[in-house]
Coordinates of all heavy atoms in Angstrom, one line a residue:
M1 N -13.1 34.7 -13.2 CA -12.2 33.6 -12.9 C -12.9 32.3 -13.3 O -14.1 32.1 -13.1 CB -12.0 33.5 -11.4 CG -10.6 33.9 -11.0 SD -10.4 33.9 -9.2 CE -9.3 32.6 -9.0
P2 N -12.2 31.4 -14.0 CA -12.8 30.1 -14.4 C -13.3 29.3 -13.1 O -12.7 29.4 -12.0 CB -11.6 29.3 -15.0 CG -10.7 30.4 -15.4 CD -10.8 31.5 -14.5
V3 N -14.3 28.5 -13.3 CA -15.0 27.8 -12.2 C -14.0 26.9 -11.5 O -13.9 26.8 -10.3 CB -16.2 27.0 -12.8 CG1 -16.7 26.1 -11.7 CG2 -17.2 27.9 -13.3
G4 N -13.1 26.2 -12.3 CA -12.1 25.3 -11.7 C -11.2 26.0 -10.7 O -10.9 25.5 -9.7
L5 N -10.8 27.2 -11.1 CA -9.9 28.0 -10.2 C -10.6 28.5 -9.0 O -10.1 28.5 -7.9 CB -9.3 29.2 -11.0 CG -8.3 28.9 -12.1 CD1 -7.8 30.1 -12.8 CD2 -7.1 28.1 -11.5
V6 N -11.9 28.9 -9.1 CA -12.7 29.3 -8.0 C -12.8 28.2 -7.0 O -12.7 28.3 -5.8 CB -14.0 29.9 -8.5 CG1 -14.9 30.1 -7.3 CG2 -13.9 31.1 -9.3
D7 N -13.2 27.0 -7.5 CA -13.3 25.8 -6.7 C -12.1 25.5 -5.9 O -12.1 25.2 -4.7 CB -13.7 24.6 -7.5 CG -15.2 24.7 -8.0 OD1 -16.0 25.5 -7.5 OD2 -15.5 23.9 -8.9
R8 N -10.9 25.5 -6.6 CA -9.7 25.2 -5.9 C -9.3 26.2 -4.9 O -8.9 25.9 -3.8 CB -8.5 25.1 -6.9 CG -8.4 23.7 -7.6 CD -7.2 23.6 -8.4 NE -7.5 23.9 -9.7 CZ -6.7 24.3 -10.7 NH1 -5.5 24.5 -10.4 NH2 -7.2 24.6 -11.9
A9 N -9.5 27.5 -5.2 CA -9.2 28.6 -4.3 C -10.2 28.5 -3.1 O -9.7 28.7 -1.9 CB -9.4 29.9 -5.0
L10 N -11.4 28.2 -3.3 CA -12.4 28.0 -2.2 C -12.0 26.9 -1.3 O -12.0 27.0 -0.1 CB -13.8 27.9 -2.7 CG -14.9 27.8 -1.7 CD1 -14.9 29.0 -0.8 CD2 -16.3 27.6 -2.4
K11 N -11.7 25.7 -1.9 CA -11.3 24.6 -1.1 C -10.0 24.9 -0.3 O -10.0 24.5 0.9 CB -11.0 23.4 -2.0 CG -12.3 22.7 -2.5 CD -12.0 21.6 -3.5 CE -13.3 21.0 -4.1 NZ -13.0 19.9 -5.0
K12 N -9.1 25.6 -0.9 CA -7.8 25.9 -0.1 C -8.2 26.8 1.0 O -7.7 26.7 2.1 CB -6.8 26.6 -1.1 CG -5.5 26.9 -0.4 CD -4.5 27.4 -1.4 CE -3.2 27.7 -0.6 NZ -2.2 28.4 -1.4
F13 N -9.0 27.8 0.8 CA -9.4 28.8 1.8 C -10.1 28.0 3.0 O -9.8 28.3 4.1 CB -10.4 29.8 1.2 CG -10.9 30.7 2.3 CD1 -10.2 31.7 2.9 CD2 -12.3 30.5 2.7 CE1 -10.7 32.6 3.8 CE2 -12.8 31.4 3.7 CZ -12.0 32.4 4.3
L14 N -11.0 27.1 2.6 CA -11.8 26.4 3.7 C -10.9 25.5 4.5 O -11.0 25.4 5.7 CB -12.9 25.6 3.0 CG -14.1 26.4 2.5 CD1 -15.1 25.4 1.7 CD2 -14.8 27.1 3.5
K15 N -9.9 24.9 3.8 CA -8.9 24.0 4.5 C -8.1 24.9 5.5 O -7.9 24.5 6.6 CB -8.0 23.3 3.6 CG -7.1 22.3 4.2 CD -6.3 21.5 3.2 CE -5.3 20.6 4.0 NZ -4.5 19.8 3.1
E16 N -7.6 26.0 5.0 CA -6.8 26.9 5.9 C -7.7 27.4 7.1 O -7.2 27.6 8.2 CB -6.2 28.0 5.1 CG -5.1 27.5 4.2 CD -4.6 28.6 3.3 OE1 -4.9 29.8 3.5 OE2 -3.8 28.3 2.4
A17 N -9.0 27.7 6.8 CA -9.8 28.1 7.9 C -10.0 27.0 8.9 O -10.0 27.3 10.1 CB -11.2 28.6 7.3
Q18 N -10.2 25.8 8.5 CA -10.3 24.7 9.4 C -9.1 24.6 10.3 O -9.1 24.4 11.5 CB -10.5 23.4 8.7 CG -11.9 23.2 8.1 CD -12.1 22.0 7.3 OE1 -11.1 21.5 6.6 NE2 -13.2 21.4 7.3
I19 N -7.9 24.7 9.7 CA -6.6 24.6 10.4 C -6.5 25.7 11.4 O -6.1 25.5 12.6 CB -5.4 24.5 9.4 CG1 -5.5 23.3 8.6 CG2 -4.1 24.7 10.2 CD1 -4.5 23.2 7.4
A20 N -6.9 26.9 11.0 CA -6.8 28.1 11.9 C -7.7 27.9 13.1 O -7.5 28.5 14.1 CB -7.2 29.3 11.1
N21 N -8.8 27.1 13.0 CA -9.7 27.0 14.1 C -9.4 25.8 15.0 O -10.1 25.6 16.0 CB -11.2 26.8 13.5 CG -11.8 28.1 13.0 OD1 -11.5 29.1 13.6 ND2 -12.6 28.0 12.0
L22 N -8.3 25.1 14.8 CA -7.9 24.0 15.6 C -7.4 24.6 17.0 O -6.7 25.7 17.0 CB -6.8 23.2 15.0 CG -7.2 22.5 13.7 CD1 -5.9 21.8 13.1 CD2 -8.3 21.5 13.9
N23 N -7.6 23.9 18.0 CA -7.0 24.3 19.3 C -5.6 23.8 19.3 O -5.1 23.1 18.4 CB -7.8 23.7 20.5 CG -7.9 22.2 20.6 OD1 -6.9 21.6 20.3 ND2 -9.0 21.7 21.0
N24 N -4.8 24.1 20.4 CA -3.4 23.8 20.4 C -3.2 22.3 20.3 O -2.3 21.9 19.6 CB -2.8 24.3 21.7 CG -2.7 25.8 21.7 OD1 -2.7 26.4 20.6 ND2 -2.5 26.4 22.8
K25 N -3.9 21.5 21.0 CA -3.8 20.0 21.0 C -4.1 19.5 19.6 O -3.3 18.7 19.0 CB -4.7 19.3 22.0 CG -4.5 17.8 22.1 CD -5.3 17.2 23.1 CE -5.2 15.7 23.2 NZ -6.0 15.1 24.2
E26 N -5.2 19.9 19.0 CA -5.5 19.5 17.6 C -4.5 19.9 16.6 O -4.1 19.2 15.7 CB -6.9 20.0 17.2 CG -8.0 19.5 18.0 CD -9.4 20.2 17.8 OE1 -9.3 21.4 17.5 OE2 -10.4 19.6 18.0
Y27 N -4.0 21.1 16.8 CA -3.0 21.6 15.8 C -1.7 20.8 15.9 O -1.1 20.5 14.9 CB -2.7 23.1 16.1 CG -1.8 23.7 15.0 CD1 -2.3 24.0 13.8 CD2 -0.4 24.0 15.3 CE1 -1.4 24.5 12.8 CE2 0.4 24.5 14.3 CZ -0.1 24.8 13.1 OH 0.7 25.3 12.1
A28 N -1.3 20.5 17.2 CA -0.1 19.6 17.3 C -0.3 18.3 16.7 O 0.6 17.8 16.1 CB 0.2 19.5 18.8
M29 N -1.5 17.7 16.8 CA -1.8 16.4 16.2 C -1.8 16.6 14.7 O -1.3 15.7 14.0 CB -3.1 15.9 16.7 CG -3.2 15.5 18.1 SD -4.8 15.1 18.8 CE -5.4 13.9 17.7
Y30 N -2.3 17.7 14.2 CA -2.3 17.9 12.7 C -0.8 18.0 12.2 O -0.5 17.4 11.2 CB -3.0 19.2 12.4 CG -2.9 19.8 11.0 CD1 -3.5 19.2 10.0 CD2 -2.0 20.9 10.8 CE1 -3.3 19.6 8.7 CE2 -1.9 21.3 9.5 CZ -2.5 20.7 8.5 OH -2.3 21.2 7.2
E31 N 0.0 18.8 12.9 CA 1.4 18.9 12.5 C 2.1 17.6 12.6 O 2.9 17.3 11.7 CB 2.1 19.9 13.5 CG 1.8 21.4 13.2 CD 2.3 21.9 11.9 OE1 3.5 21.6 11.6 OE2 1.6 22.6 11.2
E32 N 1.9 16.8 13.6 CA 2.5 15.4 13.7 C 2.0 14.6 12.5 O 2.8 13.8 12.0 CB 2.1 14.8 15.0 CG 2.8 13.4 15.3 CD 4.3 13.5 15.3 OE1 4.9 14.5 15.6 OE2 4.9 12.5 14.9
S33 N 0.8 14.7 12.2 CA 0.2 13.9 11.1 C 0.9 14.3 9.8 O 1.3 13.5 8.9 CB -1.3 14.1 11.0 OG -1.8 13.5 9.8
L34 N 1.1 15.6 9.6 CA 1.8 16.1 8.4 C 3.2 15.6 8.3 O 3.7 15.2 7.3 CB 1.8 17.6 8.3 CG 0.6 18.3 7.8 CD1 0.8 19.8 7.8 CD2 0.3 17.9 6.4
K35 N 3.9 15.6 9.5 CA 5.3 15.1 9.6 C 5.4 13.7 9.2 O 6.2 13.3 8.4 CB 5.8 15.4 11.0 CG 7.3 15.0 11.1 CD 7.8 15.1 12.5 CE 9.2 14.7 12.8 NZ 9.5 13.4 12.3
R36 N 4.5 12.9 9.7 CA 4.5 11.4 9.4 C 4.2 11.2 7.9 O 4.8 10.4 7.3 CB 3.4 10.7 10.3 CG 4.0 10.3 11.6 CD 3.0 9.3 12.4 NE 2.4 10.1 13.4 CZ 1.2 10.3 13.7 NH1 0.3 9.7 12.9 NH2 0.7 11.0 14.6
Y37 N 3.2 11.9 7.4 CA 2.9 11.8 6.0 C 4.1 12.1 5.1 O 4.5 11.4 4.2 CB 1.7 12.7 5.6 CG 1.6 12.9 4.1 CD1 0.9 11.9 3.4 CD2 2.1 14.0 3.4 CE1 0.7 12.0 2.0 CE2 1.9 14.1 2.0 CZ 1.3 13.1 1.4 OH 1.1 13.2 0.0
N38 N 4.8 13.3 5.4 CA 6.0 13.7 4.6 C 7.1 12.7 4.8 O 7.8 12.4 3.8 CB 6.4 15.1 5.0 CG 5.4 16.1 4.5 OD1 4.8 16.0 3.4 ND2 5.3 17.2 5.3
D39 N 7.3 12.2 6.0 CA 8.4 11.2 6.2 C 8.1 9.9 5.3 O 9.0 9.4 4.7 CB 8.5 10.8 7.7 CG 9.1 11.9 8.5 OD1 9.7 12.8 7.9 OD2 9.0 11.8 9.8
L40 N 6.8 9.5 5.4 CA 6.5 8.3 4.6 C 6.6 8.5 3.1 O 7.2 7.7 2.4 CB 5.0 7.9 4.9 CG 4.5 6.6 4.2 CD1 5.4 5.4 4.5 CD2 3.1 6.4 4.6
K41 N 6.1 9.7 2.7 CA 6.2 10.0 1.2 C 7.7 10.1 0.8 O 8.0 9.6 -0.3 CB 5.5 11.3 1.0 CG 5.5 11.7 -0.5 CD 4.8 13.0 -0.8 CE 4.7 13.3 -2.2 NZ 5.9 13.1 -3.1
N42 N 8.5 10.7 1.6 CA 10.0 10.8 1.3 C 10.6 9.4 1.2 O 11.4 9.1 0.3 CB 10.7 11.7 2.2 CG 10.4 13.1 2.1 OD1 9.9 13.6 1.0 ND2 10.5 13.9 3.1
S43 N 10.2 8.5 2.1 CA 10.8 7.2 2.1 C 10.3 6.4 0.9 O 11.2 5.7 0.2 CB 10.3 6.4 3.4 OG 10.8 7.0 4.5
L44 N 9.1 6.6 0.5 CA 8.6 5.9 -0.7 C 9.2 6.4 -1.9 O 9.6 5.7 -2.9 CB 7.1 6.0 -0.8 CG 6.3 5.2 0.3 CD1 4.8 5.5 0.2 CD2 6.5 3.7 0.1
D45 N 9.4 7.8 -2.0 CA 10.0 8.4 -3.2 C 11.4 7.9 -3.3 O 11.9 7.6 -4.4 CB 9.9 9.9 -3.1 CG 8.5 10.4 -3.3 OD1 7.7 9.7 -3.8 OD2 8.3 11.6 -3.0
T46 N 12.1 7.8 -2.2 CA 13.5 7.4 -2.2 C 13.6 5.9 -2.6 O 14.4 5.5 -3.5 CB 14.2 7.5 -0.8 OG1 14.2 8.9 -0.5 CG2 15.6 7.0 -0.8
A47 N 12.7 5.1 -2.1 CA 12.7 3.7 -2.5 C 12.4 3.5 -4.0 O 13.0 2.7 -4.7 CB 11.7 2.9 -1.7
R48 N 11.5 4.3 -4.5 CA 11.1 4.2 -5.9 C 12.3 4.6 -6.8 O 12.6 3.9 -7.8 CB 9.9 5.1 -6.2 CG 9.4 5.1 -7.6 CD 8.1 5.9 -7.8 NE 7.0 5.5 -7.0 CZ 6.4 6.2 -6.0 NH1 6.8 7.4 -5.8 NH2 5.4 5.6 -5.4
E49 N 13.0 5.7 -6.4 CA 14.1 6.1 -7.2 C 15.3 5.1 -7.1 O 15.9 4.8 -8.1 CB 14.6 7.5 -6.6 CG 15.8 8.1 -7.5 CD 15.4 8.3 -8.9 OE1 14.2 8.6 -9.2 OE2 16.3 8.2 -9.8
E50 N 15.5 4.5 -6.0 CA 16.5 3.5 -5.9 C 16.2 2.3 -6.7 O 17.0 1.7 -7.3 CB 16.7 3.0 -4.4 CG 17.4 4.1 -3.5 CD 17.4 3.8 -2.1 OE1 16.8 2.7 -1.7 OE2 18.0 4.5 -1.3
G51 N 14.9 1.9 -6.8 CA 14.4 0.8 -7.6 C 14.6 1.1 -9.1 O 15.1 0.2 -9.8
R52 N 14.4 2.3 -9.5 CA 14.6 2.7 -10.9 C 16.1 2.6 -11.2 O 16.5 2.1 -12.3 CB 14.2 4.2 -11.1 CG 12.7 4.3 -11.3 CD 12.3 5.8 -11.7 NE 10.9 6.0 -11.6 CZ 10.4 6.8 -10.8 NH1 11.1 7.6 -10.0 NH2 9.1 6.9 -10.7
E53 N 16.9 3.1 -10.3 CA 18.4 3.1 -10.6 C 18.9 1.6 -10.7 O 19.7 1.3 -11.5 CB 19.1 3.8 -9.5 CG 18.9 5.3 -9.5 CD 19.3 6.0 -10.8 OE1 20.4 5.6 -11.4 OE2 18.6 6.8 -11.3
E54 N 18.3 0.8 -9.8 CA 18.7 -0.6 -9.8 C 18.3 -1.3 -11.1 O 19.0 -2.1 -11.7 CB 18.1 -1.4 -8.6 CG 18.5 -2.8 -8.4 CD 17.9 -3.4 -7.2 OE1 17.9 -2.8 -6.2 OE2 17.6 -4.6 -7.3
G55 N 17.1 -1.0 -11.6 CA 16.6 -1.5 -12.8 C 17.4 -1.0 -14.0 O 17.7 -1.8 -14.9
K56 N 17.8 0.2 -14.0 CA 18.7 0.7 -15.1 C 20.0 0.0 -15.1 O 20.5 -0.3 -16.2 CB 19.0 2.2 -14.9 CG 17.8 3.1 -15.2 CD 18.1 4.6 -14.9 CE 16.9 5.5 -15.0 NZ 17.2 6.9 -14.7
K57 N 20.6 -0.2 -13.9 CA 21.9 -0.9 -13.8 C 21.7 -2.4 -14.3 O 22.6 -2.8 -15.1 CB 22.3 -1.0 -12.3 CG 23.6 -1.7 -12.1 CD 24.8 -0.9 -12.5 CE 26.0 -1.5 -12.0 NZ 27.1 -0.6 -11.9
E58 N 20.6 -3.1 -14.0 CA 20.4 -4.4 -14.5 C 20.3 -4.4 -16.0 O 20.8 -5.3 -16.7 CB 19.1 -5.0 -13.8 CG 19.3 -5.4 -12.4 CD 18.0 -5.9 -11.7 OE1 17.0 -6.1 -12.5 OE2 18.0 -6.0 -10.5
E59 N 19.6 -3.4 -16.5 CA 19.4 -3.4 -18.0 C 20.8 -3.1 -18.7 O 21.1 -3.7 -19.7 CB 18.5 -2.2 -18.4 CG 18.1 -2.2 -19.8 CD 17.4 -3.5 -20.3 OE1 16.7 -4.2 -19.5 OE2 17.5 -3.8 -21.5
K60 N 21.6 -2.3 -18.1 CA 23.0 -2.0 -18.6 C 23.8 -3.3 -18.6 O 24.5 -3.6 -19.6 CB 23.7 -1.0 -17.9 CG 23.1 0.4 -18.1 CD 23.9 1.4 -17.3 CE 23.4 2.8 -17.5 NZ 24.1 3.9 -16.7
L61 N 23.6 -4.1 -17.5 CA 24.4 -5.4 -17.5 C 23.9 -6.4 -18.5 O 24.7 -7.1 -19.1 CB 24.3 -6.0 -16.1 CG 25.0 -5.2 -14.9 CD1 24.6 -5.7 -13.6 CD2 26.5 -5.3 -15.1
K62 N 22.6 -6.4 -18.8 CA 22.1 -7.3 -19.8 C 22.6 -6.9 -21.2 O 23.0 -7.7 -22.0 CB 20.5 -7.3 -19.8 CG 19.9 -8.0 -18.7 CD 18.4 -7.8 -18.8 CE 17.7 -8.4 -17.6 NZ 16.2 -8.2 -17.6
I63 N 22.6 -5.6 -21.4 CA 23.1 -5.1 -22.7 C 24.6 -5.4 -22.8 O 25.1 -5.9 -23.9 CB 22.9 -3.6 -22.8 CG1 21.4 -3.3 -23.0 CG2 23.7 -3.0 -24.0 CD1 21.0 -1.9 -22.8
A64 N 25.3 -5.3 -21.8 CA 26.8 -5.6 -21.8 C 27.0 -7.1 -22.1 O 27.9 -7.4 -22.8 CB 27.4 -5.2 -20.5
L65 N 26.2 -7.9 -21.5 CA 26.3 -9.4 -21.7 C 26.1 -9.7 -23.2 O 26.8 -10.5 -23.8 CB 25.4 -10.1 -20.8 CG 25.8 -10.5 -19.4 CD1 24.7 -11.1 -18.6 CD2 27.0 -11.5 -19.5
K66 N 25.0 -9.1 -23.7 CA 24.7 -9.4 -25.1 C 25.8 -8.8 -26.0 O 26.2 -9.5 -27.0 CB 23.4 -8.7 -25.5 CG 22.2 -9.4 -24.9 CD 20.9 -8.7 -25.3 CE 19.7 -9.3 -24.7 NZ 18.5 -8.6 -25.0
A67 N 26.3 -7.6 -25.7 CA 27.4 -7.1 -26.5 C 28.7 -7.9 -26.4 O 29.4 -8.1 -27.4 CB 27.7 -5.6 -26.1
K68 N 29.0 -8.4 -25.3 CA 30.1 -9.2 -25.1 C 30.0 -10.5 -25.8 O 30.9 -11.0 -26.5 CB 30.3 -9.5 -23.6 CG 31.7 -9.9 -23.2 CD 31.9 -9.9 -21.7 CE 33.3 -10.3 -21.3 NZ 33.5 -10.3 -19.9
A69 N 28.8 -11.1 -25.8 CA 28.5 -12.3 -26.6 C 28.7 -12.1 -28.1 O 29.0 -13.0 -28.8 CB 27.1 -12.8 -26.2
Q70 N 28.4 -10.9 -28.5 CA 28.6 -10.6 -29.9 C 30.0 -10.2 -30.3 O 30.3 -10.0 -31.5 CB 27.7 -9.4 -30.3 CG 26.2 -9.7 -30.2 CD 25.8 -10.7 -31.2 OE1 26.1 -10.7 -32.4 NE2 25.0 -11.7 -30.8
G71 N 30.9 -10.3 -29.3 CA 32.3 -10.0 -29.6 C 32.7 -8.6 -29.6 O 33.8 -8.3 -30.0
L72 N 31.9 -7.7 -29.1 CA 32.3 -6.3 -29.0 C 33.4 -6.1 -28.0 O 33.5 -6.8 -27.0 CB 31.1 -5.4 -28.6 CG 30.0 -5.3 -29.7 CD1 28.9 -4.4 -29.2 CD2 30.6 -4.7 -31.0
S73 N 34.3 -5.2 -28.2 CA 35.4 -5.0 -27.3 C 34.9 -4.3 -26.0 O 33.9 -3.6 -26.0 CB 36.5 -4.1 -27.9 OG 35.9 -2.8 -28.1
T74 N 35.7 -4.5 -24.9 CA 35.3 -3.9 -23.7 C 35.2 -2.4 -23.8 O 34.3 -1.8 -23.3 CB 36.3 -4.3 -22.6 OG1 36.3 -5.7 -22.4 CG2 36.0 -3.6 -21.2
P75 N 36.2 -1.7 -24.4 CA 36.0 -0.2 -24.5 C 34.7 0.2 -25.2 O 34.1 1.2 -24.9 CB 37.3 0.2 -25.3 CG 38.3 -0.8 -25.0 CD 37.5 -2.1 -24.9
T76 N 34.3 -0.5 -26.2 CA 33.1 -0.2 -26.9 C 31.9 -0.4 -26.0 O 31.0 0.4 -26.0 CB 32.9 -1.1 -28.2 OG1 34.1 -0.9 -29.0 CG2 31.7 -0.8 -28.9
I77 N 31.9 -1.5 -25.2 CA 30.8 -1.8 -24.3 C 30.8 -0.7 -23.2 O 29.7 -0.3 -22.8 CB 31.0 -3.2 -23.7 CG1 30.9 -4.2 -24.8 CG2 29.9 -3.4 -22.6 CD1 31.2 -5.7 -24.3
V78 N 31.9 -0.2 -22.8 CA 32.0 0.9 -21.8 C 31.2 2.1 -22.4 O 30.4 2.7 -21.7 CB 33.4 1.3 -21.4 CG1 33.5 2.6 -20.7 CG2 34.1 0.1 -20.6
V79 N 31.5 2.4 -23.6 CA 30.9 3.6 -24.3 C 29.3 3.4 -24.4 O 28.5 4.3 -24.1 CB 31.5 3.9 -25.6 CG1 30.7 4.9 -26.4 CG2 32.9 4.3 -25.5
L80 N 28.9 2.2 -24.8 CA 27.5 1.9 -25.0 C 26.7 1.9 -23.7 O 25.6 2.3 -23.7 CB 27.4 0.5 -25.7 CG 27.8 0.4 -27.1 CD1 27.7 -1.1 -27.6 CD2 26.9 1.2 -28.0
T81 N 27.3 1.4 -22.6 CA 26.5 1.1 -21.4 C 26.8 2.1 -20.3 O 26.0 2.3 -19.4 CB 26.8 -0.3 -20.9 OG1 28.2 -0.4 -20.5 CG2 26.4 -1.3 -21.9
G82 N 28.0 2.7 -20.3 CA 28.4 3.6 -19.2 C 28.9 2.8 -18.0 O 29.2 3.4 -17.0
L83 N 29.0 1.5 -18.1 CA 29.6 0.6 -17.1 C 31.1 0.8 -17.1 O 31.7 1.2 -18.1 CB 29.2 -0.8 -17.3 CG 27.7 -1.2 -17.2 CD1 27.5 -2.6 -17.6 CD2 27.2 -0.9 -15.8
S84 N 31.7 0.4 -16.0 CA 33.2 0.5 -15.9 C 33.8 -0.8 -16.6 O 33.1 -1.8 -16.7 CB 33.7 0.6 -14.5 OG 33.4 -0.6 -13.8
E85 N 35.0 -0.7 -16.9 CA 35.7 -1.9 -17.5 C 35.7 -3.0 -16.5 O 35.5 -4.2 -16.9 CB 37.2 -1.5 -17.9 CG 37.3 -0.7 -19.1 CD 38.7 -0.5 -19.6 OE1 39.6 -1.3 -19.2 OE2 38.9 0.5 -20.3
E86 N 35.9 -2.7 -15.2 CA 35.9 -3.8 -14.2 C 34.5 -4.5 -14.1 O 34.4 -5.7 -14.0 CB 36.2 -3.2 -12.8 CG 37.6 -2.6 -12.7 CD 37.8 -1.2 -13.2 OE1 36.8 -0.5 -13.3 OE2 38.9 -0.9 -13.7
E87 N 33.4 -3.7 -14.2 CA 32.1 -4.3 -14.2 C 31.9 -5.2 -15.4 O 31.3 -6.3 -15.3 CB 31.0 -3.2 -14.2 CG 30.9 -2.5 -12.9 CD 30.0 -1.3 -12.9 OE1 30.2 -0.5 -13.9 OE2 29.1 -1.2 -12.1
I88 N 32.4 -4.8 -16.5 CA 32.2 -5.6 -17.8 C 33.1 -6.8 -17.7 O 32.6 -7.9 -18.1 CB 32.6 -4.7 -19.0 CG1 31.5 -3.6 -19.1 CG2 32.6 -5.6 -20.3 CD1 31.9 -2.5 -20.1
E89 N 34.3 -6.7 -17.2 CA 35.2 -7.9 -17.1 C 34.6 -9.0 -16.2 O 34.9 -10.1 -16.4 CB 36.6 -7.5 -16.7 CG 37.3 -6.6 -17.7 CD 37.5 -7.3 -19.0 OE1 37.7 -8.5 -19.1 OE2 37.4 -6.6 -20.1
K90 N 33.8 -8.6 -15.2 CA 33.2 -9.5 -14.2 C 32.2 -10.4 -14.9 O 31.8 -11.4 -14.4 CB 32.6 -8.8 -13.0 CG 33.6 -8.2 -12.1 CD 32.9 -7.5 -10.9 CE 33.9 -6.8 -10.0 NZ 33.2 -6.1 -8.9
L91 N 31.6 -9.9 -16.0 CA 30.5 -10.6 -16.7 C 31.0 -11.9 -17.3 O 32.1 -12.1 -17.8 CB 29.9 -9.8 -17.7 CG 29.2 -8.5 -17.2 CD1 28.7 -7.6 -18.3 CD2 28.1 -8.8 -16.2

């Protein structure tokens, strides 16, 4: 086995051994810590994804504004940006 795989397998084994040796109170604290970590990670991942979507929407609106300024028709801008006709007309 490559050294890197042996190291990872050994680290995983040692971590699992440590968890197995926890008493009930320590294990409950460990589980609570994992839950908090996962909740926080999920919140951050969701916020990051929402930010990306918001950024994409802003970029589409900028493109639509430029296209409108160039005299492109609303149906053409809809095809280019994926925005609705209503969103484009508001610009």
Side-chain angles (χ1 to χ4, degrees):
M1 257 174 109
V3 174
L5 290 178
V6 171
D7 287 346
R8 276 189 265 157
L10 182 58
K11 285 179 184 178
K12 184 176 179 183
F13 173 77
L14 290 174
K15 183 176 181 179
E16 288 177 10
Q18 286 176 325
I19 293 168
N21 284 325
L22 296 176
N23 64 38
N24 289 341
K25 183 178 179 182
E26 291 169 333
Y27 187 75
M29 290 171 56
Y30 169 75
E31 286 289 319
E32 183 61 29
S33 173
L34 276 180
K35 182 183 179 306
R36 276 190 252 125
Y37 168 80
N38 287 328
D39 288 347
L40 180 59
K41 183 177 181 322
N42 288 336
S43 295
L44 290 172
D45 289 346
T46 299
R48 185 177 294 121
E49 185 59 33
E50 288 172 356
R52 281 189 192 115
E53 292 301 319
E54 188 176 319
K56 288 178 186 178
K57 178 78 170 202
E58 288 176 10
E59 188 62 27
K60 288 179 180 184
L61 291 170
K62 287 179 186 177
I63 292 169
L65 273 172
K66 289 179 183 179
K68 200 170 185 179
Q70 293 294 316
L72 293 177
S73 68
T74 299
T76 301
I77 299 171
V78 167
V79 171
L80 289 174
T81 63
L83 296 171
S84 69
E85 287 187 18
E86 294 80 26
E87 290 172 308
I88 294 167
E89 293 300 323
K90 288 180 185 178
L91 299 176

